[in-house]
Amino acid sequence: AQSVTQPDIHITVSEGASLELRCNYSYGATPYLFWYVQSPGQGLQLLLKYFSGDTLVQGIKGFEAEFKRSQSSFNLRKPSVHWSDAAEYFCAVGLAGGTYKYIFGTGTRLKVLA
Amino acid sequence: DAGVIQSPRHEVTEMGQEVTLRCKPISGHNSLFWYRQTMMRGLELLIYFNNNVPIDDSGMPEDRFSAKMPNASFSTLKIQPSEPRDSAVYFCASSLRPENIQYFGAGTRLSVL
């Protein structure tokens, strides 16, 4: 069965430090991959997406993610975190070929220390 | 565009009452998705429509839940009767086509007492 794993439930980093949020998926084909961010009381906002092509994708707010097929991973990175990045981050897999469902990971809550 | 619009933002009701959540997708989007978010189960897809037709409702938890999309600009998710375990945040999302990027509304926080 298809699944998305975000192994870190909570991550705390200091402002200005680098960030990497992990995402692994289980799917038989190459999926569509997404990272969304959710601020408290808000809906989900798309940070970036991977459909095909270059495996390093750039997103909004200075985020990037790299698709590694061999590791079934799509980790999110940011070189220098800002206090406003504190939020919950969700990795999602879009299943192509009929169902077009998104499967979301359980999320990683990011706390930023001043 | 105003984005995906959901109403109400908050709903508090008593067990046994009927609850109706509303969603207006982005104009021109042909696919609409209803999700439920809880601490225990995370984000779950309940149902999605393409061109106003329900395509996959396998995530709808029980017969108490129903969803309709009478036209391209409006959808409802109804719970009748509501139960405390239905308390959650319900999100609506829309996309140009099913395989495209989904844009989410701000959600409806439902509390069933």
Side-chain angles (χ1 to χ4, degrees):
Chain A
Q2 302 91 355
S3 65
V4 178
T5 301
Q6 293 181 248
D8 304 306
I9 298 175
H10 298 277
I11 282 186
T12 300
V13 299
S14 298
E15 191 171 20
S18 63
L19 172 70
E20 182 169 30
L21 303 183
R22 295 182 291 167
C23 173
N24 292 93
Y25 66 89
S26 173
Y27 182 52
T30 300
Y32 301 148
L33 296 161
F34 307 86
W35 275 99
Y36 283 84
V37 60
Q38 184 181 28
S39 298
Q42 301 298 313
L44 280 72
Q45 180 185 20
L46 180 72
L47 283 176
L48 47 77
K49 64 187 185 298
Y50 172 79
F51 284 0
S52 65
D54 193 345
T55 56
L56 183 64
V57 294
Q58 302 297 321
I60 62 171
K61 304 184 180 185
F63 285 92
E64 67 178 26
E66 186 172 12
F67 168 56
K68 292 186 177 180
R69 186 190 307 274
S70 61
Q71 299 177 19
S72 297
S73 69
F74 190 57
N75 293 349
L76 182 71
R77 301 193 293 250
K78 187 169 185 179
S80 177
V81 170
H82 189 263
W83 64 266
S84 61
D85 293 325
E88 189 152 22
Y89 292 80
F90 292 91
C91 180
V93 166
L95 307 182
T99 61
Y100 303 121
K101 288 182 179 181
Y102 279 25
I103 296 179
F104 282 87
T106 50
T108 297
R109 186 170 296 277
L110 174 66
K111 182 177 179 180
V112 180
L113 301 177
Chain B
D1 199 310
V4 176
I5 300 173
Q6 292 186 246
S7 64
R9 290 296 311 276
H10 302 274
E11 177 80 38
V12 180
T13 190
E14 293 187 347
M15 183 174 63
Q17 296 298 304
E18 177 179 295
V19 175
T20 300
L21 311 181
R22 297 171 176 80
C23 176
K24 176 179 169 57
I26 293 172
S27 177
H29 281 191
N30 296 321
S31 299
L32 184 139
F33 305 79
W34 281 102
Y35 289 89
R36 178 172 66 177
Q37 185 180 39
T38 61
M39 290 292 293
M40 293 299 296
R41 300 174 67 89
L43 266 165
E44 303 173 279
L45 177 66
L46 299 178
I47 184 171
Y48 86 88
F49 296 83
N50 192 40
N51 294 322
N52 311 337
V53 176
I55 302 300
D56 186 340
D57 65 354
S58 59
M60 296 286 263
E62 302 172 32
D63 291 345
R64 299 184 296 106
F65 286 70
S66 62
K68 294 182 179 179
M69 192 164 186
N71 57 62
S73 59
F74 183 66
S75 177
T76 60
L77 178 67
K78 186 175 294 185
I79 308 173
Q80 166 62 18
S82 59
E83 296 183 3
R85 61 194 168 116
D86 301 330
S87 298
V89 181
Y90 291 82
F91 287 103
C92 176
S94 72
S95 65
L96 197 58
R97 291 186 295 275
E99 66 271 28
N100 284 135
I101 296 165
Q102 294 181 21
Y103 295 88
F104 283 75
T108 295
R109 182 174 295 277
L110 173 64
S111 298
V112 183
L113 307 177

